[in-house]
Amino acid sequence: MISFNMKSDIKLTQWINSVNNDKLPDVVKKHAFNVAANSAKEAPVDTGLLKNTLADGVEKVDERNYTISDATDYGVFQELGTSRGVSAKHFLGGAAEREAEPFFSDVRKALG
Amino acid sequence: MSIQSPLDAAIYTALGGTHTNAGTAVFLQVAPDNYPLPYVVWSYVNEGDRNETSHRLKDVVLFIRAYAATATAAKAIDAQIDGLLHHKTLTVTGWTNILTRRENGYGLEETDSAGKKTWMRGADYRILADQ
């Protein structure tokens, strides 16, 4: 199983968690599902297990925190690569990186 | 326009030679088959454009890691890479390196069919460069 923390820095994450704004939970949820969907699109496919479990791998921790994970024991080696010829695919880290700009844009809009 | 070719050269210059315990064994994407440990590999997590100014501003995340026969050896090279890159300025031809910083760290252990272990330690490095 792999998981990835999407955070720009700890202080900002703490601030997002603490600010009183009823739009932020929907923003966080939307982008968590976007990361999961995009990581599934970019995941390498053999049996399809990695791709399918990533697409369904969003778990709500609380209103402003979600985890995205796969349900395989080999996903981490596809994500990060190995010493024996498997190149790093970065399907989850890359998806999180590409979601950062639209995520923070929506955060700014939510905060008015 | 991609920054990858000049950035690849900058990474190799910064990390190759005698700068780390991996010597010149520094590779883009994947090491050659059966290459002896230790070695360093870097790959692109993301290459994006920050369309915030009139300048071309690249926001690149590289995953740079060391593979070694022991955890201690992998950690030592990872620490050397950190010392060479974190808050240092890279010379990237055609670009001005604004920021280079270490972000998420990773560790992984592999065991082959004979029971031999290989250890990986590394991190994401964010590189901002403009033209």
Side-chain angles (χ1 to χ4, degrees), chain A residues 4-5 7-8 76-77 79-90 93-95 97-98 101, chain B residues 29-30 39 43-46 49 61 63 65 67 103-104 106 108-112 118 120 124 126:
Chain A
F4 195 90
N5 292 322
K7 55 189 181 188
S8 59
V76 65
F77 297 112
E79 170 74 11
L80 299 179
T82 74
S83 66
R84 284 184 285 277
V86 177
S87 61
K89 309 299 188 297
H90 301 304
E97 273 294 321
R98 286 184 281 281
E101 189 171 320
Chain B
Q29 198 65 24
V30 69
Y39 53 79
S43 54
Y44 283 76
V45 178
N46 191 49
D49 278 281
V61 178
F63 175 39
R65 64 278 197 190
Y67 293 98
E103 296 190 344
N104 305 302
Y106 303 92
L108 200 59
E109 173 194 333
E110 300 168 38
T111 306
D112 69 13
T118 301
M120 180 275 278
D124 291 331
R126 186 174 301 278

Side-chain angles (χ1 to χ4, degrees), chain A residues 28-39:
Chain A
V28 175
K29 180 180 180 180
K30 170 187 162 186
H31 291 283
F33 277 89
N34 284 351
V35 171
N38 291 329
S39 66

Side-chain angles (χ1 to χ4, degrees), chain B residues 51-117:
Chain B
N51 297 308
E52 298 165 352
T53 70
S54 58
H55 291 247
R56 189 82 191 249
L57 178 58
K58 286 286 184 184
D59 184 345
V60 179
V61 178
L62 300 180
F63 175 39
I64 305 175
R65 64 278 197 190
Y67 293 98
T70 67
T72 302
K75 282 181 192 173
I77 298 170
D78 181 37
Q80 289 171 325
I81 294 169
D82 177 291
L84 291 164
L85 296 183
H86 185 58
H87 290 164
K88 299 294 192 296
T89 302
L90 290 167
T91 302
V92 186
T93 303
W95 298 80
T96 301
N97 182 203
I98 298 169
L99 174 143
T100 300
R101 75 175 179 210
R102 183 182 177 104
E103 296 190 344
N104 305 302
Y106 303 92
L108 200 59
E109 173 194 333
E110 300 168 38
T111 306
D112 69 13
S113 55
K116 182 185 162 197
K117 290 185 185 300

